[in-house]
């Protein structure tokens, strides 16, 4: 890996900042906001920031960069896809539970739903995130999607994943600020009370974590390398080195390479009866 020390430093920093973000949100609700519960009251609402930061920010961030860990490059791509999908599924479940906690709290307190910008953007991003997860599962994890479809969707999948993550960061920051304006009355938020300062620090940690994840995920030199002898399948059927294409390896053995399409492509090719006269394309 080019720039391995820089990658390692940023990775350790991201993990540390992300872990601190989770610790800070727990300290906020346990020390300043009276704790956690599931009774329809304020203690149930406190699950909302805890689960949002833990799942929607920290776990999602790890899911985004899991492909870039050089220690996993010798693992099968199918295994890495499964880990990527599993982490995103956990993040989605925690995000949904956090939304349920808010709706339950509002129902018990007779508070109107969906009146703030935070709630609008938050619900939209949860829906789109689940949609992204489901589509990714059927297109990339299962062996049914055509290769051309996978190649065409990949740039959209990558871009929308980063866009959703950035939107989650913005939504969490909006929610933290909104909550502080609601609960800090005496002393007020603008008088720099300890809870306000502490939670502002939480917001900075979340922002820094997002920045580190974005940097790691967008450096081309830290991208998982293609297997030796592989080609890139383009949506139009061509083969070159463009970003976002799907890698396919050429070899004489069905398990000679472990690439984007994984071993499920073998079954697809057998079904189609493809034979290229002496040298098969394997994934």
């Amino acid at each position: 890996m080019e720039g391995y020390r820089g990658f390692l430093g940023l990775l350790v920093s991201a993990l540390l900042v992300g872990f601190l973000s989770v610790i800070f949100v727990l300290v906020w609700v346990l020390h300043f906001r009276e704790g956690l519960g599931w009774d329809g009251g304020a203690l149930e609402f406190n699950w909302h920031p805890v689960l949002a930061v833990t799942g929607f920010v920290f776990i999602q961030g790890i899911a985004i960069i899991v492909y870039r860990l050089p220690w996993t490059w010798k693992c099968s791509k199918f295994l890495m896809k499964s880990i990527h999908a599993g982490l995103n599924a956990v993040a989605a479940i925690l995000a949904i539970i956090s939304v349920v906690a808010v709706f339950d709290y509002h129902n018990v307190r007779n508070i109107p739903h969906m009146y703030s910008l935070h709630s609008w953007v938050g619900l939209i991003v949860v829906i789109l995130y689940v949609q992204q997860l489901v589509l990714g599962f059927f297109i990339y994890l299962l062996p049914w999607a055509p290769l051309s479809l996978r190649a065409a969707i990949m740039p959209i999948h990558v871009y929308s994943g980063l866009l959703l993550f950035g939107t989650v960061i913005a939504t969490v920051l909006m929610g933290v600020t909104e909550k502080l304006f609601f609960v800090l009355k005496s002393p007020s938020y603008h008088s720099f009370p300890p809870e306000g300062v502490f939670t502002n620090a939480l917001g900075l940690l979340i922002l820094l974590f997002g920045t580190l994840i974005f940097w790691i995920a967008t450096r081309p030199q830290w991208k998982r390398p293609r297997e030796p002898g592989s080609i890139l399948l383009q949506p139009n059927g061509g083969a070159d080195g463009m970003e976002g294409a799907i890698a396919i390896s050429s070899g004489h053995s069905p398990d000679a390479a472990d690439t984007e399409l994984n071993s499920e492509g073998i079954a697809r090719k057998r079904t189609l009866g493809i034979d290229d006269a002496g040298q098969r394309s394997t994934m």
Side-chain angles (χ1 to χ4, degrees), residues 81 138-150 233 246 248 260-274 281 283:
K81 285 182 180 180
F138 282 103
I139 294 176
Y140 295 108
L141 200 60
L142 298 182
W144 302 336
L147 308 185
S148 59
L149 176 62
R150 294 185 175 197
L233 178 66
I246 294 180
I248 306 177
E260 295 276 349
L261 299 180
N262 301 303
S263 60
E264 71 263 21
I266 298 171
R268 181 184 295 109
K269 287 188 175 182
R270 288 174 179 171
T271 302
L272 295 175
I274 294 177
S281 294
M283 280 67 68

Side-chain angles (χ1 to χ4, degrees), residues 12-28:
V12 172
S13 299
L15 293 174
L16 178 61
V17 172
F19 184 72
L20 282 176
S21 299
V22 175
I23 296 298
F24 267 53
V25 74
L26 284 171
V27 172
W28 179 31

